[in-house]
Amino acid sequence: MAQVLDIRLEGSLEERQALDRRMYVGLFILFGILAVFLGFTRLPTAIGKFAVVDQASTSLNQTTFGQVINPESLRSGFAWVAHGINLWDANAIGMFFAILLGGAALNTVAFAPKSKIGSWLGKTGVAGAAIGGGIGVPLFMCSACSAPVSLGFFRGGAALETSLGVILGSSLFHPVSMLAIFLLMPIQMGLARIAFGLTLLVVVVPLVSRIARRNPASCPVPGVGGDPLNLLGLASESPTQLSWGRALADGGKGWVNNSLEFALKLGPPMLIAGFAVGIVFDLLPPQALSGTGLAASWVAIIIAAAIGTVVQVPGMFEIPLTLGLLALGLDIGPATAMLLATPSFGIISFAVTRKDLGWRIPASMLLATFVLASAAGLIVGAL
Amino acid sequence: MRNPKLRTFIGAIVLTVMGLSASYSLNLFGVRDSLPPPAVREQAQN
């Protein structure tokens, strides 16, 4: 986000005077929510997770760090209900703040001068993906929770690359996760995670976006999801004539409206997709891979990559999950595939982004996650 | 659902539910009785 702010402040005096005060209100709301989220919940939680993340038993028969319902306490065939509830509980804080942050991001981007947006958040190709990745890192969110924030940027007018980059930067370059991986796992697994993240971010995202734009009829267009100016009937007003009081009222209204719209559209699919993840965990528990006799084979790598691609876990949970698999005897190849695929795009991020981006783009990200995680597992396993 | 007021109303309900879920997860009401990870339970028992 720093780039956005810097660009606004580095313009000429005339440009600065022409800036919409509502954008500054949007930025204030955006950074205010982010500060509350990081300061009061996310960073203390990440530090708390760090204390237990090295204990493989943390993940045994679990899909989250903490449980509301123990899946083993339910009748056979109903464990997915517990997994779904536990996943909703684990994502509840992040998702709630993500809805508010998404609304604030949309406000900020949509109220900002289009020329500036065009020069930064509208960048396509590798640069756009890198900008999105840079915005995503300080969010400290999993790929499910960062999706609404990403859509906030997209609906505000940011390029497809930037919007997808926000999800990948947040989920794959989580600083505490990266530190834990390099401290607790073999170096090749950590390097594979970096290579996987960078390949998805700077190769796959620009490629998928470029292919999507070749077919304008089906390519999603940024900036049409909910322009706060149109939403509030303010399009005819000159930004320079706006008082700070009016800007505050308009910015606040736009943020609330955007957040409610995000909640309406993204809350239900996220809940349903969470239970779908629970069903996958119930039918194909990752720990079962260790007892199949396939622990070191390429089949195990493919299965691990497939499970990791469709499921989603709370931020950092891929670490105890992978350590648990290694402790149970799984080879480093399939464990690497699981470590890489699990935090990347999954069912929930697919469900959340599908309405705005269509099914092809998130499906391509799922496919790329599976292929690259499989390839990384095979390479690391062969070393 | 094209009615803006209805969309706003239902959106407010969904966001309220999500906010209550987040409050429960944060244990703001002091009623949470979650099971900590097994490793943490084992440490507490020992």
Side-chain angles (χ1 to χ4, degrees):
Chain A
M1 287 310 304
Q3 300 98 321
V4 182
L5 189 59
D6 289 346
I7 272 297
R8 308 282 175 259
L9 297 175
E10 286 170 3
S12 66
L13 181 62
E14 291 75 21
E15 283 174 324
R16 289 203 300 274
Q17 285 174 340
L19 288 176
D20 192 341
R21 289 175 174 175
R22 286 173 295 207
M23 184 197 69
Y24 288 119
V25 172
L27 276 175
F28 179 76
I29 295 172
L30 185 68
F31 283 109
I33 298 168
L34 191 60
V36 171
F37 173 60
L38 293 179
F40 289 97
T41 77
R42 190 43 49 111
L43 292 181
T45 303
I47 293 166
K49 287 178 179 177
F50 193 78
V52 297
V53 81
D54 62 331
Q55 296 165 42
S57 58
T58 298
S59 68
L60 287 180
N61 298 317
Q62 293 200 180
T63 51
T64 58
F65 278 96
Q67 297 188 131
V68 179
I69 299 176
N70 184 353
E72 294 170 345
S73 68
L74 298 184
R75 283 166 51 189
S76 177
F78 288 91
W80 63 273
V81 177
H83 288 317
I85 291 172
N86 290 335
L87 197 53
W88 175 265
D89 174 61
N91 279 339
I93 301 167
M95 196 67 183
F96 178 67
F97 277 96
I99 295 286
L100 302 181
L101 279 171
L106 198 166
N107 238 19
T108 307
V109 180
F111 279 143
K114 297 299 176 192
S115 60
K116 300 297 180 187
I117 293 303
S119 66
W120 280 90
L121 294 177
K123 278 187 189 296
T124 57
V126 175
I131 288 170
I135 293 170
V137 171
L139 293 177
F140 284 80
M141 286 178 169
C142 66
S143 58
C145 294
S146 55
V149 185
S150 158
L151 292 181
F153 280 95
F154 185 74
R155 289 187 188 184
L160 187 55
E161 285 93 330
T162 306
S163 307
L164 292 172
V166 169
I167 299 177
L168 296 177
S170 176
S171 59
L172 295 177
F173 295 97
H174 188 301
V176 184
S177 286
M178 298 304 289
L179 178 65
I181 289 169
F182 276 97
L183 283 176
L184 302 171
M185 296 185 189
I187 184 80
Q188 58 267 43
M189 292 180 78
L191 294 175
R193 169 77 174 246
I194 290 178
F196 173 80
L198 285 177
T199 307
L200 268 181
L201 186 64
V202 301
V203 177
V204 174
V205 165
L207 191 64
V208 166
S209 305
R210 191 172 175 181
I211 293 170
R213 274 192 289 271
R214 281 184 184 172
N215 188 359
S218 62
C219 183
V221 181
V224 297
D227 186 341
L229 292 172
N230 293 332
L231 202 66
L232 298 170
L234 302 169
S236 60
E237 291 199 23
S238 168
T240 52
Q241 295 171 357
L242 204 69
S243 70
W244 275 106
R246 181 65 190 276
L248 196 63
D250 289 348
K253 276 183 196 170
W255 170 55
V256 170
N257 281 349
N258 296 334
S259 300
L260 295 181
E261 183 71 15
F262 274 127
L264 176 70
K265 281 195 172 176
L266 308 183
M270 194 207 172
L271 179 64
I272 294 167
F275 282 98
V277 170
I279 291 172
V280 175
F281 268 117
D282 199 13
L283 296 176
L284 296 166
Q287 288 88 351
L289 265 177
S290 306
T292 58
L294 300 169
S297 75
W298 66 269
V299 178
I301 293 173
I302 301 298
I303 294 173
I307 295 174
T309 299
V310 290
V311 301
Q312 265 174 319
V313 293
M316 295 177 71
F317 192 74
E318 75 272 17
I319 299 167
L321 181 66
T322 306
L323 289 172
L325 293 171
L326 287 168
L328 289 170
L330 197 68
D331 193 63
I332 192 171
T336 300
M338 186 66 73
L339 176 73
L340 272 46
T342 314
S344 186
F345 253 76
I347 289 179
I348 300 178
S349 36
F350 177 90
V352 169
T353 56
R354 188 185 62 82
K355 281 186 181 174
D356 283 76
L357 305 184
W359 66 270
R360 290 183 179 86
I361 291 169
S364 302
M365 296 306 298
L366 286 178
L367 180 65
T369 295
F370 170 70
V371 171
L372 290 175
S374 300
L378 290 167
I379 293 168
V380 171
L383 290 176
Chain B
M1 199 194 309
R2 292 182 180 277
N3 186 330
K5 286 186 178 176
L6 186 60
R7 293 183 71 85
T8 301
F9 179 67
I10 297 176
I13 291 174
V14 175
L15 192 59
T16 302
V17 170
M18 295 179 81
L20 289 172
S21 294
S23 304
Y24 176 79
S25 297
L26 283 166
N27 203 17
L28 291 184
F29 308 128
V31 296
R32 185 182 171 91
D33 184 26
S34 78
L35 296 170
V40 180
R41 283 208 300 273
E42 287 162 14
Q43 280 182 340
Q45 286 165 0
N46 295 333

